[in-house]
Amino acid sequence: QKEVEQDPGPLSVPEGAIVSLNCTYSNSAFQYFMWYRQYSRKGPELLMYTYSSGNKEDGRFTAQVDKSSKYISLFIRDSQPSDSATYLCAMYDYKLSFGAGTTVTVRA
Amino acid sequence: DAGVIQSPRHEVTEMGQEVTLRCKPISGHDYLFWYRQTMMRGLELLIYFNNNVPIDDSGMPEDRFSAKMPNASFSTLKIQPSEPRDSAVYFCASSPSGGTSGANEQFFGPGTRLTVL
């Protein structure tokens, strides 16, 4: 079993819809939880991070962490075609462990 | 700032050949990471350096892989001999600090797409 599990999708939604992404993990030592966005043929870039349990909001993006359930989520409100990308969750104890990534397409 | 620079962007080689991938981290960053990304295994950490010293190479798949960082502005990942199963996208990333706080962002380069025939 992988330390970080993420449904690879793909996920296709119409413009304006809410996108919901999630990951589960098994390592209780993870303290920092991140979401990276990767456009096609590019390197990943950090989108958001949270420390321990709780919510964090940044514009149209909301990250949630539930350590008791070992479950993290990313929500994208009012999705735009420019949000079309692969979203990777990542978690940190002494190194980053990445999920497989979920490919999202937002249709205009 | 130009960001993390990797070369070459694409490499096609034949099985058994030596492959050298190159990385220039962002100036002032003291951590450097090498990752491999495949459809099957996702993004995997191969090795990382702190102040040019290899800290954790437990992700290096086998002895055919080696990495060096002779100075703060240059690192190489070498595969010798290469095999078709090494085909992947190899990313280099750098961070201003990454040993104690996961909140410190890793900046990724554009990657090298390696195909071994």
Side-chain angles (χ1 to χ4, degrees):
Chain A
Q1 183 188 4
K2 288 185 178 179
E3 273 194 316
V4 181
E5 297 282 354
Q6 181 177 10
D7 186 341
L11 194 61
S12 179
V13 301
E15 183 175 358
I18 295 175
V19 176
S20 174
L21 306 169
N22 56 75
C23 292
T24 59
Y25 63 94
S26 57
N27 184 355
S28 299
F30 288 138
Q31 292 291 333
Y32 288 90
F33 304 88
M34 304 173 177
W35 287 94
Y36 277 77
R37 179 175 59 195
Q38 185 176 19
Y39 290 114
S40 180
R41 307 225 170 227
K42 301 286 188 183
E45 57 180 352
L46 183 65
L47 188 61
M48 294 185 70
Y49 75 88
T50 54
Y51 174 70
S52 196
S53 286
N55 294 357
K56 186 173 184 178
E57 190 172 315
D58 184 2
R60 297 184 295 109
F61 298 87
T62 300
Q64 292 183 348
V65 175
D66 181 349
K67 291 193 72 179
S68 63
S69 302
K70 296 189 175 66
Y71 186 90
I72 72 169
S73 301
L74 177 70
F75 300 96
I76 308 173
R77 293 184 301 278
D78 187 24
S79 57
Q80 304 294 312
S82 58
D83 295 327
S84 298
T86 297
Y87 292 81
L88 301 101
C89 61
M91 307 180 188
Y92 185 88
D93 46 5
Y94 70 95
K95 66 177 182 180
L96 273 181
S97 296
F98 284 87
T102 302
T103 299
V104 174
T105 300
V106 181
R107 307 185 306 271
Chain B
D1 195 330
V4 176
I5 298 172
Q6 291 187 248
S7 65
R9 294 294 309 276
H10 302 274
E11 177 81 25
V12 180
T13 190
E14 293 190 347
M15 183 174 63
Q17 296 298 307
E18 177 179 295
V19 175
T20 299
L21 311 181
R22 298 173 176 79
C23 175
K24 176 179 169 55
I26 294 172
S27 177
H29 285 190
D30 48 12
Y31 282 83
L32 184 139
F33 307 83
W34 282 101
Y35 289 89
R36 178 173 66 177
Q37 187 175 41
T38 62
M39 290 293 291
M40 289 293 294
R41 301 175 67 91
L43 196 60
E44 302 173 284
L45 177 65
L46 300 177
I47 185 171
Y48 77 92
F49 296 82
N50 177 215
N51 292 322
N52 312 338
V53 176
I55 302 301
D56 183 352
D57 65 354
S58 60
M60 296 285 262
E62 45 197 280
D63 292 345
R64 298 184 297 107
F65 286 70
S66 62
K68 294 181 180 179
M69 192 165 184
N71 57 63
S73 58
F74 184 67
S75 178
T76 59
L77 178 68
K78 187 176 292 187
I79 307 173
Q80 166 63 21
S82 58
E83 297 183 2
R85 59 194 169 116
D86 301 330
S87 298
V89 182
Y90 291 81
F91 288 103
C92 176
S94 69
S95 171
S97 65
T100 58
S101 170
N104 290 293
E105 181 177 355
Q106 291 186 20
F107 294 81
F108 283 76
T112 295
R113 186 171 296 270
L114 174 66
T115 302
V116 183
L117 303 174

